[in-house]
Amino acid sequence: MDKTVVELFAGVGGFRVGFNHITKIDQDGRAIENPNFDFVWANQWEPSTSIQPAFQCYQKRFGESTSHVNKDIAKVDAKDIPNHTVLVGGFPCQDYSVARSLSGEKGIQGKKGVLFWEIIRIIKEKQTPFILLENVDRLLKSPSKQRGRDFGIMLRALGDLGYLVQWRIINAADYGHPQRRRRVFIFAAKNNTKYFSKISSLNPRDVITQFGIFSNRFQVNTLSHVVESDFLSTYTDLVTVSDKFHFSFENAGVYLDGKITTGKANPILSQQFQLQSILDEKIDDDTLYLKDSQIKKFEYLKGAKKVPRTSLNGMQYFYSEGGMAFPDDLTSPARTMLTSEGTINRSTHVVQDPISKQLRKLSPNECEKINEFPAGWTNSGMSKNKRYFMMGNALVCGVVRKLGDTISEVITSE
């Protein structure tokens, strides 16, 4: 079995950076890849705009190619996508609800524009052996009025296509990475693989704690709050799941043949990464240093506060929020980076520069290093604000690197 990969919703190439251990860019701006995996096709598309900075960055780092496609994935014929062993992608958390089609009882329609259904369409056509997906951790609890429904729909949809599914919420900082970023990773294996046969024969609890795709490099010491349930298999189809499913998923689990096993996996913590270790030695951009008026604004935004407000129905209440460290602690990992990084915002990092001792925002290069991209990765023609935005949307490449190494071993065993 070859190590070919298709990358959906590619962004600026975080999965490829991680899988192929990319740490440097050559003098022509191309990524220096360890060819662990062969990325045979990638798609990146930003709707409602003629400017495609993420795709342009991807092309600059990996070269222009007909296999790099800048097109709405819904308009791509799945037959035109090359056969591949692994499909990867970080897709948005959306409303996954489904309903009957207007044409009759047999047809089931996912909500239009929901990108998860494009994943299902592609793997149905290509019969992809292995899938690795990434999403925000709140996916497991959405929507708020029907907890767990969206993830339940995903599990059932993948299960109906013959996949065994494992998931884990990973906080990158717990395992020695530069950022306290929590994301859910979802790994699915097709029922015609040796890996499927091996894992399906094991106790699901042992899969979560010892033998699964995540436990190898993201070790846990205990598993608590374990729940086992097969009620997802009692629903006749996805419409029934969409209408009735409600379940409390924990941060780790296994799904096979309608049976959910989930529990709270408690990580074996690694030594904490220190933010100061990735700070640039020299900052040439004077606009990063804070003026007195900006410091006062940040002090207010990051400080504890209790603000009186009025709801839509006229009720008076207080909006409260706790204080944040100001400036950020340089001996701890970075906080979760958001797309608003670089603006005057409560979530924006502010550090005391080790050399000048002045307060400043992080540079785009430092934000890239926090996500374990090579410094300068998004310096591809996009604006500084866009570079911050890209990193707020990105994944921590070091986490993906570890998962890629494990998946490489799985494929070799096939």
Side-chain angles (χ1 to χ4, degrees), residues 190-256:
K190 186 75 171 170
N191 56 13
N192 60 357
T193 61
K194 292 179 182 177
Y195 182 81
F196 180 100
S197 299
K198 172 189 171 183
I199 296 299
S200 61
S201 68
L202 300 174
N203 184 312
R205 298 185 186 213
D206 293 336
V207 173
I208 296 171
T209 58
Q210 299 179 64
F211 304 114
I213 201 74
F214 302 110
S215 57
N216 186 345
R217 287 174 169 86
F218 300 95
Q219 297 179 333
V220 299
N221 52 23
T222 58
L223 184 68
S224 58
H225 303 89
V226 178
V227 176
E228 296 179 321
S229 174
D230 60 1
F231 79 99
L232 188 51
S233 64
T234 64
Y235 295 122
T236 54
D237 55 26
L238 280 174
V239 175
T240 317
V241 176
S242 182
D243 290 343
K244 298 183 178 181
F245 188 83
H246 188 286
F247 187 78
S248 294
F249 290 102
E250 294 289 353
N251 68 356
V254 178
Y255 175 74
L256 174 64

Side-chain angles (χ1 to χ4, degrees), residues 49-230:
T49 177
S50 59
I51 302 172
Q52 300 287 319
F55 180 74
Q56 290 166 5
C57 178
Y58 195 97
Q59 289 270 71
K60 185 174 180 65
R61 300 302 174 221
F62 299 115
E64 294 188 12
S65 170
T66 55
S67 66
H68 302 159
V69 178
N70 183 218
K71 182 179 180 180
D72 182 351
I73 191 63
K75 297 177 181 177
V76 174
D77 190 334
K79 292 183 173 63
D80 294 335
I81 299 174
N83 293 332
H84 52 281
T85 300
V86 188
L87 181 143
V88 300
F91 62 107
C93 185
Q94 297 170 288
D95 182 349
Y96 301 108
S97 59
V98 294
R100 297 287 178 201
S101 68
L102 296 176
S103 59
E105 283 295 302
K106 289 186 177 180
I108 291 177
Q109 290 183 328
K111 205 168 184 180
K112 187 177 180 181
V114 174
L115 297 176
F116 174 70
W117 300 117
E118 302 305 326
I119 297 172
I120 293 296
R121 175 176 67 89
I122 291 166
I123 63 175
K124 198 172 183 179
E125 170 66 31
K126 309 307 293 189
Q127 298 294 300
T128 307
F130 301 109
I131 304 161
L132 178 65
L133 305 174
E134 178 256 8
N135 209 305
V136 295
D137 58 344
R138 70 173 179 272
L139 169 65
L140 300 188
K141 300 184 182 301
S142 69
S144 58
K145 294 182 179 179
Q146 196 181 343
R147 292 288 190 188
R149 182 205 68 188
D150 290 345
F151 194 56
I153 290 172
M154 289 179 57
L155 292 180
R156 179 61 184 263
L158 289 167
D160 286 352
L161 293 180
Y163 287 91
L164 178 154
V165 184
Q166 301 171 55
W167 71 89
R168 172 88 80 82
I169 292 175
I170 297 173
N171 183 341
D174 286 346
Y175 294 97
H177 297 278
Q179 186 180 175
R180 284 169 271 172
R181 195 175 190 90
R182 289 165 49 89
R183 289 293 184 269
V184 60
F185 288 88
I186 303 155
F187 181 74
K190 186 75 171 170
N191 56 13
N192 60 357
T193 61
K194 292 179 182 177
Y195 182 81
F196 180 100
S197 299
K198 172 189 171 183
I199 296 299
S200 61
S201 68
L202 300 174
N203 184 312
R205 298 185 186 213
D206 293 336
V207 173
I208 296 171
T209 58
Q210 299 179 64
F211 304 114
I213 201 74
F214 302 110
S215 57
N216 186 345
R217 287 174 169 86
F218 300 95
Q219 297 179 333
V220 299
N221 52 23
T222 58
L223 184 68
S224 58
H225 303 89
V226 178
V227 176
E228 296 179 321
S229 174
D230 60 1

